[in-house]
Amino acid sequence: MMMHDQNDSTSKQEIISSETTKTVIEYRRNGKVQNKNEENLTFKHQMLHTVCICISIFTLGWRNALIGPTLPDLRIIIDENLATASGILSAKSLGGLLGAICGGFAYDRFNKIGVFVVTIIVMGVSAALTPWCYHLAAMLVVHGFYGVCATSLETAATADMAMVWKQKAGPYMQAVQFAFSAGAILSPLVAEPFLADLISFHSDFEPLVSNTSTLATKYLKPTGNVKAVTESQSEQINGNASVTKYGETLIYIPYSMTSLLCLLSVGFYVVIYCVYGSVYNTLNDVSDCEIRSNRNRYFLSKRMKYTFTMLLASAMLLYSVSETSFIGFLMTFLVSERKWSKAMGSVASSVFWITFSVGRLVGIVVIKFISMSSMIFIFSFIYTSGSVLFFLAVIFDQIILEWLSIGVIGFGMSVLFSLVFSWLSKNVCNLTGKMASIFFIFMSVGKMGVPILVGYLMDKVSQMWFIYSNIFLSFSMFATFVFAMVSFNLMKRVNKRSEKANIMFKIEGGN
């Protein structure tokens, strides 16, 4: 009898083990959640997938923040002046335009994990090739591919968090944005030791420039190794030549690190997919109640929705252009105009991204106590004030205020991007993939032309145009935000009065 009971117990354990295995297999194949264990497994899968997204966006932030600190070295590699080299930023923006158009389509139509993997692989390959592109055309091509990947990845990640977490997506969206900032903070610091040093010395030979203050600049083309890149400048000082020479540049190392991060990110996606399957199979369809829940939230007419969408898209165009120009030319301005070392310039870039990250963390807390309209006004005002402070600090040669103003600008810019999309979704219309693409198209178009203009003015007229353009863009953005917020609040007040009058009319009519 005891032997029979033991056999029954063993059989029951085998059945339980078989059912558990069947549950996991059924979860992987169909994503049907039937009990608490499977719910926990689903949550774990979602969290691991979110970690994959955060790693990929961290890599994107890392790659994005490399452009500014390494732009002087890239300019040496391709043997071009600043006005021409600023086309790198425009090529990135042109790619971003294509990414905004194609990214959402690819995410909706093709395998989503496959879209992430292919996008990250292309971004890694383009990063690895960047420091070895000795011709302008090649440099523009690799940055164009990077722009396509960057915008596609950012669009897909934003839509992905909304799809995976639905109504609970808020904190995870913020986590993804913070991952971008963390990558952007670290990469300038990591890149700094590998930048070419600027070495000045005097020589007894005849000056290359006589009877003029114009600089004579010679670029030596690489001979198969990036370390061979040098730049020599000569100017006449008391009859002797002062020679300024760039030492060796090792920027292929931080760019190779970018490729390794991309490889790591792809590895996480593949491992999670092989172990758990597709996270999208575990998601329940959105119920009809959820679809109908927001239909009656908006009071604006169709025409006014279009008007406010265009206003906010214009404001975001100004925001994105100012962010790209500021961080893209900050190192060049500080080294060329302010005579800072490249090490100080890299730290300044990191200061911007540190305050940018702190601002996003502060925004998560402050949004619980202050309306989104007020926050947009406050942070855009902080950004504009930082631009003015930076101008005054440069004019009066106050280096402490320069450091402070860079931090203030980063803090002011930090939450505006997410705030505008949240405000639009709450007050104007539902934020769909199509709507997000419209905003990204606006931003990409602006970033294609303005950086070229700013770079041209800095190179041909004065380096101070870096500050002038930043002040103009910040004031224009602030004015657009104020006009949109004030107009909306006035229309909202009129709408409430109209609704109240209609209610009173119905009551009186009933009596």
Side-chain angles (χ1 to χ4, degrees):
M1 180 68 69
M2 293 179 60
M3 183 66 69
H4 180 70
D5 291 341
Q6 187 175 0
N7 291 336
D8 288 346
S9 176
T10 302
S11 299
K12 289 180 180 179
Q13 291 178 359
E14 291 177 351
I15 293 173
I16 293 173
S17 177
S18 177
E19 289 295 326
T20 303
T21 303
K22 182 179 179 181
T23 295
V24 174
I25 293 175
E26 199 65 25
Y27 163 80
R28 292 176 182 172
R29 291 179 177 174
N30 302 323
K32 296 180 180 178
V33 179
Q34 298 175 349
N35 54 49
K36 190 66 176 178
N37 290 334
E38 292 187 40
E39 288 180 358
N40 293 336
L41 190 58
T42 300
F43 177 77
K44 181 180 179 180
H45 192 180
Q46 290 173 310
M47 286 298 299
L48 291 173
H49 179 75
T50 302
V51 171
C52 292
I53 298 294
C54 288
I55 293 174
S56 59
I57 295 300
F58 174 89
T59 305
L60 178 61
W62 175 290
R63 174 66 180 89
N64 187 69
L66 275 181
I67 296 178
T70 62
L71 183 61
D73 288 49
L74 296 177
R75 183 165 65 93
I76 297 171
I77 291 173
I78 61 177
D79 188 10
E80 297 290 350
N81 57 29
L82 180 60
T84 304
S86 61
I88 291 174
L89 300 178
S90 295
K92 171 180 172 289
S93 300
L94 176 60
L97 175 61
L98 298 176
I101 296 172
C102 302
F105 175 82
Y107 181 81
D108 290 337
R109 296 301 182 95
F110 303 112
N111 182 280
K112 294 175 174 54
I113 299 297
V115 170
F116 280 113
V117 169
V118 172
T119 301
I120 297 169
I121 288 176
V122 175
M123 185 169 70
V125 172
S126 66
L129 294 176
T130 296
W132 307 100
C133 295
Y134 303 137
H135 300 283
L136 176 63
M139 189 69 73
L140 296 179
V141 168
V142 295
H143 278 86
F145 273 106
Y146 162 65
V148 173
C149 296
T151 307
S152 298
L153 181 58
E154 190 173 9
T155 303
T158 303
D160 198 70
M161 288 296 95
M163 173 175 286
V164 170
W165 294 104
K166 295 183 173 64
Q167 293 85 357
K168 301 177 182 179
Y172 304 101
M173 288 276 196
Q174 295 294 338
V176 169
Q177 292 180 354
F178 181 77
F180 181 92
S181 301
I185 291 171
L186 294 177
S187 64
L189 297 177
V190 173
E192 186 274 326
F194 307 106
L195 301 178
D197 293 325
L198 192 61
I199 304 171
S200 299
F201 58 93
H202 291 281
S203 178
D204 294 331
F205 56 77
E206 291 296 324
L208 295 180
V209 182
S210 59
N211 300 324
T212 178
S213 60
T214 304
L215 296 179
T217 304
K218 180 181 180 182
Y219 295 84
L220 301 180
K221 297 296 292 182
T223 58
N225 192 325
V226 181
K227 294 183 179 180
V229 177
T230 60
E231 178 182 10
S232 299
Q233 296 176 332
S234 300
E235 62 182 350
Q236 184 177 2
I237 300 179
N238 299 325
N240 293 325
S242 175
V243 179
T244 302
K245 181 180 180 180
Y246 276 106
E248 64 179 14
T249 177
L250 302 173
I251 59 170
Y252 67 88
I253 295 179
Y255 278 93
S256 297
M257 291 180 182
T258 305
S259 299
L260 291 177
L261 286 173
C262 290
L263 181 62
L264 176 66
S265 178
V266 169
F268 268 91
Y269 279 108
V270 173
V271 169
I272 298 303
Y273 183 81
C274 291
V275 174
Y276 293 95
S278 176
V279 69
Y280 309 104
N281 292 338
T282 68
L283 305 177
N284 296 322
D285 294 334
V286 180
S287 65
D288 292 337
C289 292
E290 289 176 312
I291 295 175
R292 295 192 300 265
S293 60
N294 295 324
R295 284 185 177 177
N296 299 321
R297 188 198 313 177
Y298 310 110
F299 67 88
L300 293 176
S301 64
K302 185 176 181 179
R303 181 177 179 181
M304 293 310 302
K305 287 181 180 179
Y306 174 81
T307 300
F308 275 97
T309 299
M310 291 299 103
L311 270 177
L312 293 177
S314 300
M316 290 305 296
L317 182 152
L318 294 169
Y319 164 84
S320 61
V321 166
S322 58
E323 180 186 355
T324 300
S325 299
F326 185 81
I327 199 62
F329 294 115
L330 178 62
M331 170 73 86
T332 302
F333 175 79
L334 294 177
V335 172
S336 301
E337 177 69 19
R338 303 302 297 152
K339 307 304 178 185
W340 289 20
S341 66
K342 287 189 175 182
M344 290 179 64
S346 293
V347 174
S349 297
S350 291
V351 167
F352 172 87
W353 289 114
I354 288 172
T355 55
F356 194 86
S357 301
V358 170
R360 284 184 167 175
L361 291 177
V362 171
I364 297 174
V365 178
V366 174
I367 193 64
K368 299 177 181 179
F369 307 101
I370 303 178
S371 67
M372 283 188 286
S373 298
S374 299
M375 285 190 66
I376 290 175
F377 175 83
I378 292 172
F379 277 86
S380 58
F381 178 77
I382 291 174
Y383 166 45
T384 305
S385 300
S387 300
V388 174
L389 180 63
F390 190 51
F391 169 75
L392 295 176
V394 171
I395 292 297
F396 294 103
D397 196 22
Q398 298 294 319
I399 189 170
I400 295 179
L401 288 182
E402 290 180 48
W403 284 101
L404 177 62
S405 60
I406 292 171
V408 171
I409 290 173
F411 185 84
M413 285 186 176
S414 59
V415 299
L416 290 176
F417 186 87
S418 57
L419 276 177
V420 169
F421 281 106
S422 299
W423 189 91
L424 178 76
S425 178
K426 180 180 179 181
N427 298 301
V428 180
C429 61
N430 288 321
L431 183 60
T432 62
K434 181 180 178 181
M435 184 65 66
S437 294
I438 292 174
F439 274 76
F440 277 107
I441 290 172
F442 260 75
M443 291 185 285
S444 298
V445 168
K447 289 188 287 187
M448 279 192 297
V450 176
I452 291 181
L453 177 61
V454 174
Y456 177 84
L457 292 173
M458 289 176 63
D459 191 54
K460 301 298 184 182
V461 182
S462 170
Q463 289 284 328
M464 288 297 293
W465 272 99
F466 170 76
I467 295 181
Y468 301 152
S469 62
N470 189 54
I471 290 178
F472 173 78
L473 292 170
S474 62
F475 269 96
S476 300
M477 182 197 69
F478 180 68
T480 305
F481 276 140
V482 170
F483 178 77
M485 299 299 110
V486 171
S487 299
F488 178 81
N489 287 330
L490 289 175
M491 295 182 66
K492 186 176 181 180
R493 187 174 301 177
V494 171
N495 182 71
K496 286 184 177 180
R497 290 177 180 177
S498 177
E499 289 180 349
K500 185 176 181 180
N502 290 336
I503 293 174
M504 295 298 297
F505 178 78
K506 291 179 179 180
I507 293 175
E508 292 177 357
N511 295 333

